[in-house]
Amino acid sequence: LTRMTLRISIVLLMFVSSIAQAQTWTSVPRFPGGARSGAIMFAIGDSLFVCGGERSDGTTDSDFYVYAPDSKYWMQEIFTKEEGGSQPFTRALGVSIVIGGQAYVGLGCKRTTQGIEALSDWWQFDPKTGVWTRLADLPGTACDQPYAFAIGSIGYVGGGTNTGGGNLTNFYSYDPVAAKWTGLSVPSFGAMTDAASFALGKYGYVACGSKGY
């Protein structure tokens, strides 16, 4: 994408930390799908999943891979979807969260003949069946580079950048049981894009990122 200039092959580095041993990084087999930026990653159980991203020629990737740490083996997954819509992983700079053994993936952007288009679609992935199901779209402005995290059974998505490049202050919760988005108060830090985000215990954390370009 025009906002990103560096693309590298995904190199997994396994980080091991415990009281009994030194903290170490260990290189594991390279991602076989080729160099890209803005890919989406999530882990369910003992498997790591990687999808989407963008090539150095501007092409939006539409492949999907799973990595098994025990066997140190990559495998390309076959796309299966339950209902209409574009392929869930033809995108870059989207987000993913995992709740109850299911992954929820969406937003981000893709390149079209008119330029870069921000996305608002939202999908559920069931690793047991391999099926992707399209859910209700994000009700606010379509965006790429948002932040997201899950606390308990609820997911949270906020910020990001719209198609015109404006940074967003939107903040939503997503309840997968009710399949419902709820708008929440704007966070005190306001607009935020391309931030790091995660959850620990009952708290979500958002760090770094950008207020604009």
Side-chain angles (χ1 to χ4, degrees):
L1 302 178
T2 55
R3 306 188 193 101
M4 305 188 70
T5 59
L6 178 64
R7 293 166 177 83
I8 60 174
S9 296
I10 296 177
V11 180
L12 287 184
L13 295 173
M14 180 175 64
F15 181 65
V16 179
S17 175
S18 71
I19 296 175
Q21 66 184 92
Q23 297 175 343
T24 60
W25 288 93
T26 303
S27 179
V28 296
R30 283 180 175 269
F31 175 68
R36 64 189 63 190
S37 63
I40 300 169
M41 303 175 70
F42 56 89
I44 301 177
D46 295 328
S47 297
L48 171 70
F49 299 86
V50 179
C51 59
E54 189 187 65
R55 304 281 177 159
S56 58
D57 63 0
T59 303
T60 305
D61 283 295
S62 59
D63 49 9
F64 182 44
Y65 289 84
V66 60
Y67 176 74
D70 289 343
S71 61
K72 297 184 179 180
Y73 180 75
W74 285 97
M75 181 175 66
Q76 186 169 6
E77 292 283 277
I78 297 174
F79 169 66
T80 304
K81 66 181 174 64
E82 185 174 287
E83 52 186 315
S86 62
Q87 289 192 357
F89 30 81
T90 306
R91 71 189 68 239
L93 303 174
V95 293
S96 63
I97 56 176
V98 175
I99 299 173
Q102 306 284 300
Y104 298 85
V105 177
L107 314 181
C109 57
K110 64 180 180 181
R111 187 177 294 277
T112 69
T113 55
Q114 287 75 41
I116 298 172
E117 176 190 357
L119 303 171
S120 61
D121 55 339
W122 190 243
W123 296 77
Q124 179 191 55
F125 172 66
D126 185 339
K128 294 181 179 179
T129 62
V131 170
W132 290 85
T133 302
R134 186 163 183 174
L135 306 172
D137 289 2
L138 181 78
T141 304
C143 63
D144 61 62
Q145 304 179 84
Y147 55 85
F149 53 85
I151 301 175
S153 61
I154 302 296
Y156 298 87
V157 177
T161 303
N162 62 23
T163 297
N167 288 337
L168 304 173
T169 60
N170 299 342
F171 187 46
Y172 296 89
S173 66
Y174 181 75
D175 182 343
V177 175
K180 179 182 178 181
W181 291 96
T182 301
L184 304 176
S185 299
V186 173
S188 59
F189 51 77
M192 183 69 72
T193 188
D194 197 24
S197 56
F198 58 92
L200 285 176
K202 60 181 182 179
Y203 297 102
Y205 297 84
V206 177
C208 305
S210 173
K211 293 288 187 180
Y213 293 93

